[in-house]
Amino acid sequence: MKKENKKKDEPKEKSESFLDNKYQMLYMCLGMCFGMSIGMAVGSAVFDNLSVGMCMGMSLGMAIGIGIGASVDRKIAEQALCITDILEEDFGCEGVPDDAEVTVTLVLVDVSGNESRRKIPDRLAVERDLQIGDRIYFNENGSIEKYKRSENNERQ
């Protein structure tokens, strides 16, 4: 029975690999496009044959794109934070003041196990569908991006 359970888990791991290699796949496609166009120009000038240049350029562009994309994915994976708790503000019996924006506090844990807290507007947490167990990172603009969905979100 244990062997059957492991087999059932394998497709789930494969479906998560898209998020792990998001930029690797994107940069590979871009590299192939740029590589093909550069290869056509080089093939036409050097070999007097577009098809040789296209094949050479596409392969080279794909390899460069995979390398660049993998480094971006690795950098994001190192910065990923796991949401361990979402704390809502308590306004007591008075309720939310008219001029206040409702916020939630995300309790985050990095890959080293260090815990941090970050206050964000509640509307943003709802827009991004942030839930306990999700892995997130903050992009260059400081905006929250989802890195991986929690297991509970994938079943829904």
Side-chain angles (χ1 to χ4, degrees), residues 88-145:
E88 296 179 2
E89 280 187 285
D90 184 16
F91 289 100
C93 59
E94 288 87 30
V96 181
D98 293 335
D99 60 340
E101 183 177 29
V102 180
T103 61
V104 294
T105 302
L106 300 178
V107 180
L108 306 166
V109 177
D110 64 9
V111 292
S112 303
N114 301 322
E115 184 177 291
S116 62
R117 293 171 183 248
R118 183 103 177 230
K119 260 189 179 185
I120 63 167
D122 183 57
R123 64 170 174 71
L124 182 63
V126 172
E127 284 174 10
R128 302 290 163 97
D129 190 28
L130 299 179
Q131 296 184 11
I132 295 173
D134 286 348
R135 293 188 67 199
I136 61 169
Y137 68 96
F138 295 93
N139 65 16
E140 307 86 36
N141 302 331
S143 165
I144 296 175
E145 297 288 331

Side-chain angles (χ1 to χ4, degrees), residues 35-36 38-44 46-60:
M36 185 184 298
I38 292 169
M40 287 173 61
V42 170
S44 176
V46 175
F47 302 110
D48 199 27
N49 188 340
L50 288 177
S51 59
V52 171
M54 284 174 41
C55 294
M56 181 182 66
M58 191 183 312
S59 301
L60 187 60

Side-chain angles (χ1 to χ4, degrees), residues 23 71-81 135-137 147:
Y23 288 99
S71 69
V72 172
D73 285 329
R74 217 175 3 264
K75 180 181 173 187
I76 289 173
E78 291 169 358
Q79 295 174 352
L81 304 165
R135 293 188 67 199
I136 61 169
Y137 68 96
Y147 178 67

